[in-house]
C-alpha cells in the first residue's frame, strides 16, 4: 500500500528527513518517533534507545496535558454550577 501525501515544511526551516523513506519532519523529535514507529525493525540499537526516550517524554507530556485539561473542565463545571446556584435560585 503506497500513499501519496504532500508534506510541507515552512520556508526558512530546514526539514529533518527520514533516511529510510525521505519524509520531512519539522522537529527532530518527530523524526525519531517516526523512525521508531515506522522503521523499528531496521534501526540500530542507539536509534531504538532514542525512540524509547522520545516516546517516554511524549507520554509524560500527554499525561500532564490530560491532567491540566481535566482540571480546567472540573473548574468550569463547578464554576457554572455555582453561577447557576446563585442566579438560578434568585
Amino acid at each position: 500500500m503506497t500513499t501519496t501525501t504532500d508534506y510541507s515544511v515552512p520556508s526558512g526551516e530546514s526539514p529533518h528527513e527520514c533516511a529510510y523513506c525521505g519524509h520531512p519532519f519539522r522537529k527532530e523529535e518527530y523524526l525519531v518517533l517516526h523512525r521508531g514507529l515506522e522503521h523499528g525493525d531496521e534501526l540500530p540499537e542507539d536509534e531504538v534507545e532514542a525512540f524509547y526516550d522520545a516516546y517516554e517524554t511524549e507520554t509524560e507530556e500527554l499525561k500532564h496535558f490530560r491532567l491540566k485539561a481535566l482540571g480546567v473542565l472540573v473548574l468550569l463545571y463547578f464554576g457554572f454550577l455555582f453561577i447557576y446556584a446563585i442566579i438560578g435560585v434568585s
Side-chain angles (χ1 to χ4, degrees):
M1 180 173 103
T2 60
T3 58
T4 56
T5 306
D6 184 29
Y7 295 95
S8 63
V9 176
S11 60
E13 291 187 18
S14 61
H16 301 277
E17 289 190 15
C18 179
Y20 299 98
C21 61
H23 291 168
F25 294 91
R26 177 182 262 177
K27 295 184 178 181
E28 187 171 354
E29 296 87 30
Y30 300 159
L31 174 62
V32 171
L33 289 169
H34 163 77
R35 283 184 189 158
L37 292 173
E38 297 295 326
H39 311 291
D41 297 338
E42 305 167 28
L43 295 178
E45 189 64 33
D46 60 333
E47 289 187 17
V48 171
E49 288 182 26
F51 165 72
Y52 284 125
D53 291 341
Y55 186 80
E56 285 180 28
T57 303
E58 185 82 10
T59 302
E60 286 298 316
E61 289 176 3
L62 281 173
K63 284 181 184 177
H64 289 138
F65 172 75
R66 289 176 182 154
L67 283 173
K68 289 177 185 178
L70 178 63
V72 168
L73 288 174
V74 168
L75 287 174
L76 281 172
Y77 174 77
F78 283 108
F80 284 129
L81 183 65
F82 288 138
I83 290 172
Y84 177 74
I86 294 171
I87 296 175
V89 174
S90 302

